[in-house]
Amino acid sequence: MLRHLLRIWVWAGIARYPNEYFTPVRITNIIAFLVIVVSILQIPSALWFWHAQGAYQLLITSLTISTLIWVPILNHNAWYLVAKLWLITVYTCNLIATCFLWQLDLYIHFFYLLAVICCPFFFTEREAKYKWSFSILFCGLFVVTEIYYQIFLPQYYDVAQQSFKFASACLLALASILCSYHIQKNVSKSWKKLAHERKRSEQLLLNILPSSIAQRLKNSNEPIADYFAQASILFADIQDFTPLCKKRTPQQLFKILNEIFCRFDELSIKYGLEKIKTSGDGYMAAGGLPVATAQHAIQCCYCALDMQHEFKRICSLQKLKIGLRIGIGCGEVVAGIIGKSKFSYDMWGEAVNLASRMESHGQSNKIQTTESTYELTKHAFDYSLRGKIHVKGIGPVTTYWLEGRKQLTG
C-alpha cells in the first residue's frame, strides 16, 4: 500500500509531461517527499522541547507538510513551473522560520547549500534564469544567516575564530555555487545530447511508420489495428529488372533503384499517400490511411500517372530497357502493426490482394485499376475498358486501363 502511494507521488504529472520535463518533475516530487519525511522526523524533537520552542516548531512542521502535499497535485495538472516555485517557497520559508526560531547556530542554514546543488536538476534548459536566480538566492540566504548568527547570537569563539568560521562559510557558499555551475554545465550538455538522440530516434521511427502510428506506439503498448471502410492501394513493380541484375554491378543496381524509389517517395508525399514498403523491385503505397480522406482514389491515380512519367524519364536518361506495371485497387482495408520487433505498418484485406493482382496481371508501362477505382475517379480521368480477367482466388474481374487526366474543354 505504502509502496503504491509512493509510486503515485513520485510519478505524478509524468504521464502527460513533455519529454524534457521528465527528470525535473520526478526530482520535484522526490524532494517534496524527502522534505516531508525530514519534517516528520522533527516532530519528536518538537514534542520533547514543547515548553521551549517545540510548539512553534510543530506548527512550522505541520504547515510544511500540509503545503508540500500540493506539489504532486500541481505536477499532475501539468503546472510544472508552479510546482517548482511552490516547493522552493515552502522550503525557504521553513528554513528561515526554523533558523530564527531557535536562536541557536544549529547548522540548519546549511540546507540552503543543499538547495544550491539541487537547483541544476530542478529546471529545464529553457528555465535557466530561474536556476541561477535561486542558486544565488540560496547562497545569499546562507551568508546572511551566518552573518546574523555572528552579530546577534552569543558567541563562544574569539574574534579570530569567528573570522575564520565566517570565511570558511563564505568559501563553502562559493564552492557550492561553483559546483552547481559545473553540474549545470554537464546537465545542460546531457540534455542537449539526449534531445538530439531523441530527435534522431523519432526521425528513424517516422521513416519506418506513419507519424500518427508512431505516436500511438510510443504512448501505448496496445496492439495497433484499424479498420478503414474505404482506402486505395497502389502497387508498382519494375518489369525485366531481374535480367538487368546480370548486366549491372550491385552499386549500379542500387543507384538505379534508389533514384526510382526516392522519386516515388517524393510523389507519394506530394499526393498525400502513405508509403507502406518496398520489396525487391516492388513499391507499395496507400491513400486514405492512417488518416481517412475521401480523395484517396484520386490521389492514387494522380500519383500513379506521375510515377509512370518519372519512370520513363529516368529510363530515358539511364538508357534502361525496363518497364513499370502499376495496379490500383479500392475497398475495405485493415491496417496495423504485427509483432514486437522490426515494426512494419502493413495492410490486409481483399482490396489489398486485388490491387496486387492488378499489378501482377497488368502490362508493361500501363496502369490497371479495379472497377471500384474506376467508379470513384472516372469524372477526373480518362479510362479504357480492358474487360474481364481471371484473378486467382477471386475469379473474373472487370478492369480498366488508366490513360490520363481528363482534359478540360470549353
Side-chain angles (χ1 to χ4, degrees), residues 28-192:
T28 305
N29 291 333
I30 291 170
I31 290 181
F33 177 77
L34 292 176
V35 173
I36 288 176
V37 170
V38 171
S39 298
I40 290 172
L41 293 175
Q42 290 176 343
I43 292 176
S45 299
L47 294 173
W48 182 262
F49 296 103
W50 183 265
H51 295 293
Q53 306 295 339
Y56 295 107
Q57 183 62 55
L58 185 61
L59 177 62
I60 293 169
T61 300
S62 300
L63 287 173
T64 300
I65 293 170
S66 60
T67 50
L68 287 181
I69 290 172
W70 286 95
V71 171
I73 296 172
L74 291 169
N75 278 329
H76 179 73
N77 288 283
W79 296 340
Y80 304 118
L81 183 58
V82 175
K84 296 168 194 172
L85 297 178
W86 182 260
L87 172 59
I88 290 172
T89 302
V90 174
Y91 182 84
T92 306
C93 290
N94 177 287
L95 292 181
I96 291 173
T98 304
C99 285
F100 289 98
L101 173 67
W102 290 97
Q103 292 295 305
L104 287 171
D105 188 355
L106 300 175
Y107 303 103
I108 294 171
H109 59 305
F110 278 82
F111 280 98
Y112 288 126
L113 299 184
L114 180 62
V116 173
I117 302 299
C118 291
C119 271
F121 302 101
F122 254 53
F123 299 98
T124 63
E125 190 68 23
R126 290 183 295 178
E127 298 167 343
K129 60 181 181 180
Y130 295 102
K131 197 178 303 186
W132 293 117
S133 297
F134 284 115
S135 294
I136 294 168
L137 173 65
F138 285 128
C139 273
L141 286 170
F142 173 78
V143 173
V144 167
T145 307
E146 186 67 32
I147 293 171
Y148 174 82
Y149 287 158
Q150 295 269 353
I151 296 174
F152 296 102
L153 297 185
Q155 296 296 324
Y156 305 100
Y157 311 103
D158 58 33
V159 175
Q161 289 172 329
Q162 287 184 40
S163 299
F164 185 77
K165 182 174 179 289
F166 180 71
S168 297
C170 290
L171 286 173
L172 185 58
L174 180 61
S176 297
I177 201 79
L178 290 175
C179 185
S180 178
Y181 172 75
H182 180 72
I183 292 171
Q184 154 59 20
K185 200 172 179 181
N186 282 279
V187 167
S188 177
K189 194 180 295 183
S190 298
W191 272 116
K192 288 177 182 176

